[in-house]
């Protein structure tokens, strides 16, 4: 019994050896392959379940597979990016996750609701800003937001405060009663983000949010998105061809190649995987490639189905 205190005194020193011993372990699969190549640099999951969980999600257009058994998850409050060449499946994934395109196979849970069985509940808990600008230029910013409030079914007693908060969050309050046709591209995009946030969704989907904007407008949009991430727990899933903005904005990135997800990880981990001095442009070139995506007919079919779904949802 007299030996027990002495043996107990050795425990702290033995525990201190564990990190060093773990660092010696060669974490590799067969033939030196990475054990976790699909989630490089990810920290261990928290107890809280992911707010988006995609499981073998697939979309076919006739014989063409636009999205091929894609699986990934996004944590609550995370900013997650999807990158890939034109036609790699980025927008198709977003349209499926926002219920605008039907799923061919697989599935997903979005904000705690099943994408296939509970699309109405999914729509209540998400915001969506599409590639093409959708604000009405013949209305003022406030009127556009009033229209969105009606579409989202926001209680009348809350509308004024919600619109005020949305305008302030996107730094548009001084322009609330001006016609949108006189806005710059960046101001219109910020208004559309405000519309997407009006009902306080758990998740905001942004499909190429800065496409066609000049550098100053792009930075203004990115600054507001970064502030949104700091100030709220809104989860953001964004697609973009601008690697510098994905690098600055996103905590993790999924890389798509010809409809398949080929890598998931933090920007730093993905760059390290390509090379010691690699940029995210290098990651794009190495992993996403430049293969041509679907032809115009498939792309137009995708857009037609999305418009038809949007009309059917009101």
């Amino acid at each position: 019994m007299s030996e027990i205190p002495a043996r107990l005194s050795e425990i702290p020193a033995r525990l201190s050896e564990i990190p060093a011993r773990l660092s010696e372990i060669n974490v590799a699969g067969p033939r030196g392959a990475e054990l976790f190549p699909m989630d490089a640099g990810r920290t261990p999951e928290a107890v809280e379940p992911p707010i988006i969980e995609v499981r073998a999600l697939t979309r076919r257009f006739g014989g063409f597979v636009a999205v091929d058994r894609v699986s990934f998850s996004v944590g609550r409050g995370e900013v997650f990016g999807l990158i890939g060449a034109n036609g790699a499946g980025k927008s198709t994934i977003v349209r499926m996750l926002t219920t605008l395109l039907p799923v061919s196979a697989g599935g997903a849970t979005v904000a705690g609701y099943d994408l296939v069985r509970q699309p109405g509940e999914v729509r209540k808990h998400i915001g969506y800003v599409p590639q093409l600008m959708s604000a009405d230029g013949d209305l003022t910013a406030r009127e556009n937001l009033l229209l969105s409030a009606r579409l989202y079914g926001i209680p009348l007693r809350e509308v004024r405060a919600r619109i005020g908060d949305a305008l302030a969050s996107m730094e548009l309050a001084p322009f609330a009663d001006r016609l949108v046709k006189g806005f710059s591209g960046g101001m219109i995009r910020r208004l559309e983000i405000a519309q997407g946030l009006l009902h306080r969704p758990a998740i905001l989907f942004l499909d190429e949010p800065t496409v066609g904007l000049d550098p100053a407008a792009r930075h203004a949009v990115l600054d507001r998105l970064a502030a949104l991430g700091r100030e709220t727990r809104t989860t953001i899933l964004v697609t973009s061809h601008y690697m510098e903005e994905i690098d600055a904005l996103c905590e993790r990135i999924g890389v798509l190649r010809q409809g398949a997800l080929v890598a998931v990880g933090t920007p730093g981990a993905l760059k390290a995987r390509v090379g010691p001095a690699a940029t995210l442009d290098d990651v794009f070139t190495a992993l996403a490639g430049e293969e041509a995506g679907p032809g115009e007919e498939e792309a137009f079919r995708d857009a037609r189905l999305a418009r038809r779904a949007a009309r059917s949802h009101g």
Side-chain angles (χ1 to χ4, degrees):
M1 294 293 291
S2 62
E3 297 178 5
I4 292 176
R7 295 296 297 275
L8 287 175
S9 67
E10 298 175 9
I11 291 175
R14 296 296 296 273
L15 288 175
S16 67
E17 297 175 8
I18 292 175
R21 295 295 300 275
L22 286 175
S23 67
E24 298 170 6
I25 298 174
N26 181 19
V27 184
R31 300 183 182 178
E34 293 172 306
L35 188 58
F36 303 112
M38 289 297 295
D39 217 345
R42 188 173 188 180
T43 55
E45 289 286 348
V47 174
E48 192 173 27
I51 196 166
I52 301 173
E53 189 166 13
V54 179
R55 303 177 298 274
L57 194 66
T58 302
R59 175 67 203 186
R60 302 184 189 92
F61 295 102
F64 176 78
V65 181
V67 176
D68 189 5
R69 295 170 294 175
V70 166
S71 299
F72 63 89
S73 63
V74 181
R76 188 175 298 274
E78 184 178 10
V79 182
F80 186 89
L82 285 175
I83 63 173
N86 287 328
K90 304 182 300 297
S91 294
T92 303
I93 289 172
V94 169
R95 288 171 184 154
M96 285 192 286
L97 294 179
T98 54
T99 78
L100 291 174
L101 277 178
V103 172
S104 299
T109 303
V110 179
Y113 298 97
D114 186 271
L115 181 65
V116 176
R117 296 197 302 267
Q118 300 171 291
E121 291 299 323
V122 169
R123 288 191 289 274
K124 290 178 185 178
H125 293 83
I126 64 171
Y128 173 51
V129 179
Q131 284 187 36
L132 298 178
M133 291 187 178
S134 57
D136 191 330
D138 291 325
L139 300 178
T140 65
R142 191 185 306 277
E143 289 167 341
N144 270 280
L145 287 165
L146 278 168
L147 180 60
S148 294
R150 290 179 184 174
L151 291 173
Y152 286 127
I154 295 172
L156 188 61
R157 65 183 179 276
E158 298 179 19
V159 168
R160 183 187 295 272
R162 294 277 190 104
I163 289 176
D165 290 345
L167 289 166
S169 70
M170 291 294 119
E171 298 185 339
L172 290 172
F175 313 100
D177 298 306
R178 296 189 188 180
L179 291 178
V180 171
K181 66 174 64 174
F183 282 14
S184 68
M187 291 172 69
I188 294 173
R189 198 46 117 187
R190 281 186 279 146
L191 173 60
E192 290 172 334
I193 294 170
Q195 289 176 278
L197 292 169
L198 196 61
H199 59 304
R200 297 173 182 167
I203 306 166
L204 181 63
F205 290 91
L206 300 165
D207 194 6
E208 304 273 1
T210 61
V211 67
L213 301 183
D214 62 53
R218 284 176 55 209
H219 286 302
V221 170
L222 292 174
D223 286 346
R224 297 320 305 154
L225 288 175
L228 177 67
R230 290 193 302 269
E231 296 163 6
T232 73
R233 291 201 74 197
T234 303
T235 301
I236 298 175
L237 191 151
V238 59
T239 75
S240 180
H241 281 293
Y242 296 112
M243 294 301 100
E244 69 273 20
E245 70 185 37
I246 287 286
D247 199 355
L249 192 62
C250 297
E251 295 162 67
R252 287 190 304 132
I253 302 165
V255 185
L256 292 162
R257 184 184 182 109
Q258 293 183 308
L261 190 68
V262 296
V264 177
T266 65
L270 291 174
K271 286 183 281 188
R273 176 176 171 178
V274 172
T279 65
L280 207 56
D281 284 313
D282 298 323
V283 171
F284 185 95
T285 301
L287 300 181
E290 295 292 341
E291 289 80 0
E296 288 187 356
E297 185 175 347
E298 286 84 1
F300 287 137
R301 187 185 305 147
D302 190 340
R304 285 197 301 271
L305 286 168
R307 285 195 297 270
R308 189 183 307 157
R311 285 195 298 270
S312 70
H313 300 327

